[in-house]
Amino acid sequence: MSVGIGSVVGCAGSPSSGAGKNAPSYAEEAQARAAQVRLTELNQALAMASNGPGGDLSAHDYRLGPGDVIKIEAPQVPEIQGLRVRITGPGTVNLPLVGELRLSGLTVGGAEQLLSERLSRYVHQPQVALFVQEYASQEVTVTGAVARPGVFPITRPRTLIEVLSMAGGLAGNAGSTVGVRTVGPDPQTGEMAAQNLILDLRDLVANPNANALVLRGGDSLYVPEAGTIFVDGAVANPGSFALRSDMTVLKAIAEAGGTNWEAIDSNVRVIRHDGSGAPRELAVDLAAVRDRGVADLPLEDGDVVIVDSNTVKKGAVTMWNQTLRVLSLRVLYR
C-alpha cells in the first residue's frame, strides 16, 4: 500500500503537471489513492472468502421460513417417519403426536432439537433429522455503496460475504463497514427478534469464522459510503451520519437528536475497528465533556457511538407508554 501512495505523491509533485489552484493537495491525492488500494484489497479478500471452505454452508445453518417444505426422518416414530410437510404462512407445522410447532426463524438444526424434545415425551432419546425438500422464494436486499445494489433471490443458506459478492462487491466510494438487519435469538429472552448489526468487513475477511452469519429471506444489507459514523442506543434518532473533519462524540450525539431521558451520560462507548482483529472499546463520560470541559473524543471513519440506558428509567418509560396506550384505547372505545 505504501508503494502506491508514494507513487501518487511523486506524480503530484511534478512541476509540469499544470495543477491549478483548485487541484487536490499532495495529502488529498495520497489519501484518495490509499482508499482505492484499500477497497481493491478488500474486494479481493471478499472474493477469496466467498470461495473458501466456509462459503458452502451446512443445511443445518439454514433458517426455515414460510413456504419451505421439510421431510422428517424419525425411525422410532412411525407416525411422522418420512412425512413431508410445508411450513404455513404463520411459520408453523402441525404434526401427529406433537401438535403445532413454530419452526419459522429456527435453523434446521434448531428445528430438529425442538422436535426431538417434543417427541421425548413418547420415545426415549428419539433420533430426528430434517431435510429441506423445497426452498420457498426468499430474497435479500443489498443497498448502499456496492457495485450492483438490488434484491437477490436465495434458495439455500447464504453468508453475508456471499451476498456481498452477489451484489458485485464494494463500490469505489464504500467504507469498511456493513449494516445488517436480520432476525435472530434475543440474548436476554431467547426469542426470535429483529436485530441491527454493524460489522467491520476487514475483521470479517480476516476472521476464519466470518461466514458464521447466515442470511435468510427478508434480511437486508447496507454498505455506507466512506466517511460515515453510527450512533445507537438511548438517543432520539439513531442511525448513520456523515463524518465531518471536526466530528466528536458530543457533536455526533447532537446530530442524532441528543440523548433520551433514560440515557446514562457518563457511560458512552465508542466501538472502533481498525482491521487488526477485535474492535476496541473507548469509554467517554459525556457529562464530563459537556459540563466540566473535559476533552471530547474525535471520531474516525466507521466509529460506532453507543449511549447506554438506565434499565430502571427505561422500564419506567415502557410502563408509561403502555399506560398511555391503554388510556387511549379506553377513550377510543368509550
Side-chain angles (χ1 to χ4, degrees):
M1 185 177 294
S2 59
V3 175
I5 295 175
S7 63
V8 173
V9 173
C11 292
S14 172
S16 59
S17 62
K21 293 182 180 180
N22 296 325
S25 67
Y26 297 163
E28 289 172 337
E29 288 200 9
Q31 187 176 16
R33 177 58 64 88
Q36 187 59 50
V37 171
R38 172 186 60 82
L39 275 175
T40 300
E41 292 177 345
L42 193 51
N43 270 326
Q44 290 173 346
L46 285 171
M48 292 178 63
S50 67
N51 294 324
D56 189 14
L57 292 177
S58 165
H60 274 57
D61 295 318
Y62 177 74
R63 290 198 181 275
L64 298 167
D68 288 341
V69 175
I70 59 173
K71 182 180 179 182
I72 303 172
E73 295 289 345
Q76 299 152 291
V77 189
E79 291 86 349
I80 61 173
Q81 167 60 21
L83 184 65
R84 294 176 79 255
V85 59
R86 186 181 298 275
I87 299 176
T88 65
T92 63
V93 294
N94 202 308
L95 303 175
L97 295 182
V98 298
E100 188 175 64
L101 288 180
R102 179 171 296 279
L103 300 184
S104 182
L106 295 179
T107 63
V108 172
E112 288 176 344
Q113 182 178 355
L114 176 61
L115 182 54
S116 178
E117 290 173 356
R118 292 291 185 89
L119 289 173
S120 64
R121 302 172 185 174
Y122 311 98
V123 178
H124 179 64
Q125 294 184 345
Q127 303 300 312
V128 177
L130 298 183
F131 302 92
V132 181
Q133 300 283 291
E134 295 180 22
Y135 293 96
S137 177
Q138 300 191 41
E139 298 173 329
V140 293
T141 303
V142 185
T143 57
V146 293
R148 296 190 302 273
V151 179
F152 300 90
I154 56 173
T155 56
R156 66 172 179 82
R158 293 285 187 175
T159 66
L160 181 150
I161 289 177
E162 281 185 303
V163 172
L164 281 176
S165 296
M166 292 166 64
L170 304 177
N173 59 339
S176 300
T177 56
V178 58
V180 182
R181 182 169 179 80
T182 185
V183 174
D186 186 289
Q188 296 181 346
T189 65
E191 297 181 357
M192 303 303 293
Q195 296 181 342
N196 294 307
L197 310 174
I198 300 173
L199 306 173
D200 188 273
L201 293 172
R202 295 165 298 182
D203 293 342
L204 284 177
V205 297
N207 186 348
N209 296 319
N211 285 345
L213 181 60
V214 184
L215 301 179
R216 66 181 187 88
D219 288 349
S220 60
L221 304 182
Y222 170 64
V223 179
E225 295 183 3
T228 302
I229 55 96
F230 306 85
V231 184
D232 200 6
V235 293
N237 301 301
S240 59
F241 302 90
L243 176 66
R244 302 191 308 270
S245 59
D246 62 343
M247 184 71 83
T248 62
V249 172
L250 185 60
K251 291 179 180 179
I253 291 175
E255 289 267 358
T259 57
N260 293 338
W261 178 69
E262 68 268 22
I264 306 177
D265 288 351
S266 60
N267 194 12
V268 176
R269 295 172 290 138
V270 176
I271 310 300
R272 177 167 294 172
H273 298 265
D274 57 12
S276 61
R280 289 188 294 153
E281 184 172 305
L282 309 174
V284 177
D285 187 338
L286 189 63
V289 172
R290 185 182 54 224
D291 303 331
R292 301 198 297 273
V294 173
D296 202 354
L297 177 67
L299 294 179
E300 298 180 3
D301 188 15
D303 279 354
V304 183
V305 180
I306 302 175
V307 182
D308 286 337
S309 300
N310 183 309
T311 54
V312 175
K313 287 185 176 181
K314 189 173 183 179
V317 171
T318 301
M319 291 179 61
W320 174 246
N321 288 336
Q322 290 173 345
T323 302
L324 288 178
R325 190 176 298 111
V326 171
L327 291 174
S328 298
L329 288 174
R330 287 178 179 174
V331 171
L332 181 63
Y333 291 105
R334 179 175 295 174

